[in-house]
Amino acid sequence: MMKKGAVSVAIIQQTCSEDQNENLEKAIRLIREAAEGGAKIICPQELFKGRYFPQTIDVKKYDWAEPVPGPTTELFQELAKELGVVLLVPVYEYAMDGVYFNTAAVIDADGTYLGKYRKNHIPEGPQYIEKYYFTPGDMGYPVFRTRFGKIAILICWDQWFPEASRIVALKGADIVFYPSAIGSEPDDPDLDTSEPWITAIRAHGICNNMFVAAVNRVGEEGEMSFYGCSFISNPWGEILAKAKTRDDEIIMAECYLDEIKKSRDVLQFHRDRRVDTYGEILKKVIE
Amino acid sequence: MMKKGAVSVAIIQQTCSEDQNENLEKAIRLIREAAEGGAKIICPQELFKGRYFPQTIDVKKYDWAEPVPGPTTELFQELAKELGVVLLVPVYEYAMDGVYFNTAAVIDADGTYLGKYRKNHIPEGPQYIEKYYFTPGDMGYPVFRTRFGKIAILICWDQWFPEASRIVALKGADIVFYPSAIGSEPDDPDLDTSEPWITAIRAHGICNNMFVAAVNRVGEEGEMSFYGCSFISNPWGEILAKAKTRDDEIIMAECYLDEIKKSRDVLQFHRDRRVDTYGEILKKVIE
């Protein structure tokens, strides 16, 4: 087995204004800063170019979708090549008239477009009206072999489903990124999901012995408040870095990828999985 | 839908001596105490009758196995009936010569034997030499409708596998019990798995919006030290009760079962599961 090295990972937590160019420019500025600080894989938050538009139903917002590859991924291809870093690009994807996805593209450190992931799990709740905007993903759970490690992306709501994290782990993902937009629950003002959110994602790292990096937006947008709390944790579930503010912030951690084999050789979950007993997991309910 | 009430749950964390009768008597004493305190479902730790014998390979230990139902479950049937409580009974099961399981039986509050679960995931590591002793479970993942709620049992190593917790949730388990025997890792003395252990189990509760109750042994046995940390958490992952000592202790919490529907109606994970995308989870590796 080839020995794996360390990789410096950065996630970009930011507030978003009404001005998409301003948001994009800020993301690029923070990405440049992260790269100068040594980051080799950099991931912005879900739909980082704009405000979280699924708060309301508005047919005009469909026009925010763009092809992938397309203008934003092309811009990030140049940026990745210039900086020599892997970039993840979460955008609203136009596939054809009437079919739009919540997508993230992966750009390798030489600027090559490696492919994309389309969010599979689409939420729907008061002010998270995503089923109106996003066709459920149709590409399964790809992993991407980048210059600096084998990575996967799962987008926001996907983060609550252990099945998704398991499948990318079985495909060899070393680091799973969870670009997110999660905050207050307008229908339940006392509910704060930040602690369960962190726990569930850390647990995906633990149960699969891999690194996880969750990046969430911050700030007030209309009636919603996004809580940030972006973090990176290791195969033991230890938090390596966590947002210190509820503001724009680069969260960066050195991930020693050989910890994956080390933890799996001590806690041999993958050896002992009882795949012969899991068939019922493919059902919605078992009556 | 029928409205669900509250149920008081107790888990029994204990040290074990060489004397099996002493351990059994202590468990019964603590169960009586928990029942007097109002507990309605009570669960001792994994293999609570004896010391953790899989530290070494010893053919004579096979003689510790007993039929299920058998002497211990019969004793607990009388006890359950007398106290009017549901009892879980984790024992080493003799099925036939050469086939022994790590099992837990469920006794209803009227003394009825409801069935058993046989541990599916069997670990094997230095001083956790369980593959020698325990045939992997052959009964899938049953749930049990007791007088005080629909429950499931997953035993120790099972607790690291989100698939197992998901399946019992899909079958309608309100509370999942994880009787355990986990402690120091002799091959890695610096490793403390207690924090990942708690996080992984809380996350099963979160991702499935159900109650979880993990009960672990305590004390020094040979070269091993068991860390206890037994706890009960709710569908939001909040810890309702946790062991305060590394000694014999009853951990008890009131579980408001209507929190399950409430949390599922706010966080609609089960509606949004993409069972059409999970097929690869039935593989050991995906190459």
Side-chain angles (χ1 to χ4, degrees), chain A residues 13 24 33 61 72 79 105 119 128 134 138 142 149 156:
Chain A
Q13 167 180 296
L24 182 60
E33 200 181 312
K61 291 297 193 313
T72 305
L79 188 64
K119 184 174 178 175
Y128 293 88
F134 308 127
D138 62 344
C156 203

Side-chain angles (χ1 to χ4, degrees), chain A residues 10-16 23 26-27 29-31 33-34 42-46 48 178-182 197-198 214-219 221 226-232 241-252:
Chain A
I11 50 182
I12 308 294
Q13 167 180 296
Q14 65 177 94
T15 59
C16 284
N23 300 327
K26 179 160 70 178
R29 181 168 52 75
L30 292 167
I31 287 169
E33 200 181 312
I42 305 174
C43 183
Q45 70 209 19
E46 183 186 20
F48 71 98
Y178 300 83
S180 302
I182 187 167
W197 180 77
I198 293 167
V215 52
N216 187 24
R217 71 173 57 211
V218 274
E221 299 186 17
F226 295 92
Y227 53 65
C229 294
S230 307
F231 72 95
I232 301 167
K242 191 177 170 189
K244 291 178 189 67
T245 68
R246 292 216 170 180
D247 206 341
D248 300 337
E249 192 174 332
I250 298 165
I251 297 95
M252 201 155 111

Side-chain angles (χ1 to χ4, degrees), chain A residues 121 141 271 273 277-278 284, chain B residues 121 141 271 277-278 284:
Chain A
H121 299 89
Y141 303 93
R271 178 193 65 194
R273 290 181 68 237
T277 67
Y278 300 157
K284 277 280 193 177
Chain B
H121 298 90
Y141 303 94
R271 179 194 64 194
T277 67
Y278 300 157
K284 277 281 193 176

Side-chain angles (χ1 to χ4, degrees), chain B residues 195-239:
Chain B
E195 187 53 37
W197 181 77
I198 294 167
T199 303
I201 297 172
R202 280 175 62 214
H204 299 324
I206 293 168
C207 292
N208 296 288
N209 319 93
M210 59 188 183
F211 290 86
V212 296
V215 51
N216 187 25
R217 70 174 56 212
V218 276
E220 312 297 313
E221 298 186 17
E223 290 180 49
M224 293 180 73
S225 173
F226 294 92
Y227 53 66
C229 295
S230 307
F231 72 95
I232 301 168
S233 65
N234 72 9
W236 313 97
E238 291 165 345
I239 291 181

